[in-house]
Structures are given as C-alpha cells and as structure tokens.
Amino acid sequence: MQNDLSTFWRGPRWTLAVLLAILGMLGPFSVDTYIPAFAGIATALGATPVEMQQTLSAYLFGYAFMNLFHGALADSFGRRPVILWGLVMFTLASAGCALSQNITQLVLFRTLQGLSTGAGIVVSRAIVRDIFPPSQAQSLMAQITIFFGIAPVIAPMMGGWLFVHLGWQAVFWSLTIVGVLLWAINLRFLPESLPAAKRQPFHVGPLMRGYGTLLSDPRFLLLALASGVPFNGMFLYLLSAPAFLGDLLHLEPTQFFWFFLATIGGIMAGSWTSGRLAGRIPPKRQIRHGFLVMCVTSILNLAANMLWSPHVSWALIPISLFSYGWALMVPVVTLLVLDIHPEWRGLASSLQAVVGSIANGLVAGVIAPLVMHSGVLLATGSLLLMLIGLMAWIYLHHRWPEIGRHASEQ
C-alpha cells in the first residue's frame, strides 16, 4: 500500500516532481557546471590535463561507489535523513572545492561530492514508488524526467558564465549555495515516505542478502540493462560533442546549444508522452514503442551516415528522435525495476544507478574516444548500445511474459 498523497504532500503534484527532479539532477549538474572551467582551474592550480581528468574520475568513482549504499541506508533509516545528510555533505564538499589550494585538495573534495550526490536520484525514485500506485508513479516519473532534462542545458551555460565573470571558485560557491537552499527546502517541506514498520535493519548480513537477492535475480539484471544501457546511445554523442559538433558538423562553440536543444527537446517530448500514456496502455507495450522508435531511428541514422557526410541540416534529428524513444520507455522500466522486490526498493534503485554508472564510465573511457571522429562509427556505436538494452528486454519478455503485462498493484 502507498501513502496518501494528501497527507504526504500538501502542494500541487508538479511541485513534488520539481523537488525530486532537482534532487536527482544534482549529480549531473555538479559535473556539467565545472567542465567549462577546466582550463582556468588547471592554470590556477598548476595542474596537468591528466590531473584535471582525475578530478572528474574521482567524482565519478565516489558517485558510483556510494550508489551501492544510498538505497540500503534509505531502506534502513528512512528516505528523509539520507537526503538531508547527503545535502550536508555535498554542501561542505562544494565549499571545500572552492577553497582548494592545490589539485590534491580538489580531487579529495570532488570525491566527497561524488559520494554525496547519488542520494538524490536513488532516494527520489524510491520516494515516488513509496507514495503512488503504478500508473500515477509513471506519470510523476515522466514529469521528473522532463525537469531532469533541463540540467544538461543550464549547467554548462551557468558554469561558463560564472567562470568568465567571477572566476572558477564561483562555480563551486554556486554549488555550495544550491546545497544550502536544497537542504533548507527539504528540511521544511519533504516528509518521510517510508514508515518505520517497513524499514529493513542495517546490518551486514541483511544487506548482503539484499544484494544477493537482486544480483541473483535475472529479471532485475535484465531490466537494469534495458534501462541503463540504451541511454548511452545518446550519451555517446554528448561525450563526443566537441569532435562531433566542431569537426564533423563544423559548428562554432556558440552554436553547440542546438545540439542540447535537440536532445533535451526529445527527452521532454518523450517524457510528456509517457506521462499521457500512463494507465492507458500496458507497460510492456509502451516499452516496445520506445524501443521501436530508438531502433528505427538508429538504423536510419547509420544508413544516412554511410550515404552522406554528416551535416547539421539532418544530423541532429536522429539524436532528438532517439532521445524521445528513450524517455518514452525509461520511466516504465524504472518502475518495473523497483517492483521486482518491493521490500528492497531503495537497494534496487541503488543497483540500477550503479549499472547505469558502469555503462556510462565504459562509454566515456573506452568507446567515445574510439568513435568520436567518425559519423559512421558514432552511429554504429549508438546502434549497438541500444541493441544491448533491446536484447535484454526481448529475452525478459519471452522468459517472463507476465512482467509489464499489467501495472503492479503493490
């Protein structure tokens, strides 16, 4: 049984979606905001490019590692304490980054930032499922995805402006202010969604059993692959943006916003459609529609790149359509992940985030550098990443046909 929304949240439902989306986008926002200041930070701290890359790697490592525990902590101590303490840690770490006097200090505080920011996206997903039955949860998850998609557009512009006008420290001071404001807002407005009676003891034994239960369940692993890997079909283009947009499409840096508009426009449109379809068609049919859009788009994108040289007049359209297909199906798959073992929703959200983080890291560190200078290779990589998720879903569909046939009532 879910909590009564009227007793949990007194404002309009969209305001809850905004709050949970902001908590979820804190992680990517913390990455995208400081990237425009890379050169300035390196000069100010006397850091090499390799050392600057370590500030990003340290953040991503901390983010992925702590994702293993945010959900377990939330299942044991409640959703609200994990979010509030995570925001305290994020705020202090952001201030530490701003005050860093050398690259070693910056790497340390970036690690602490990464350890804290995963709490938002992991716990916010669990909160949604704590409160709402499936169709309403899907609708809210779609709204969250819409707001979540704004972060990659705002963050680089905000970071670049702060760096140019106020210096690189201002980027991290702004994140410090964001942390303080979010802590105050959540302290005042976000109630607890997990009653004490439903919490799991935080002991090593039960925690390991929870991990074992999820990791040994092929349904969970297949759903995590179906939701986490296809995202990289568009993330690959984001990682390759300087080469793809500058070298292949011959756009000036001031014109890069067209790429972000195309991507975010697709995500927002797909999320809106997903919310409209919630409760109207079976979940698995909506997932099929999303994969169909991504599959057809990926094939046409590869064919176009094999026939013609990439050109701005058409090369951004497949990315936008792919983003639409991904956003159409991912809220549904995420809810299915959380409902495989309802007693471990926080832990399931954690492990789903870990699967996505591992996939993102492999794409960023291995695949993107190999394909970013070729339109054909980029399209091929995007297609193959989507196919991994598609194959996972097809196998799940045939092995456990009941999953997604009807919305869960738990």
Side-chain angles (χ1 to χ4, degrees), residues 236 239 358-372:
L236 179 62
L239 293 168
I358 292 173
N360 295 349
L362 290 174
V363 171
V366 179
I367 299 177
L370 297 176
V371 304
M372 64 172 55

Side-chain angles (χ1 to χ4, degrees), residues 6 13 36 91 181 192 194 250 268 290 353 395 403:
S6 63
R13 193 170 71 175
T91 302
L181 291 175
E192 178 57 62
L194 184 66
H250 308 293
M268 295 180 72
Y395 180 79
I403 293 180

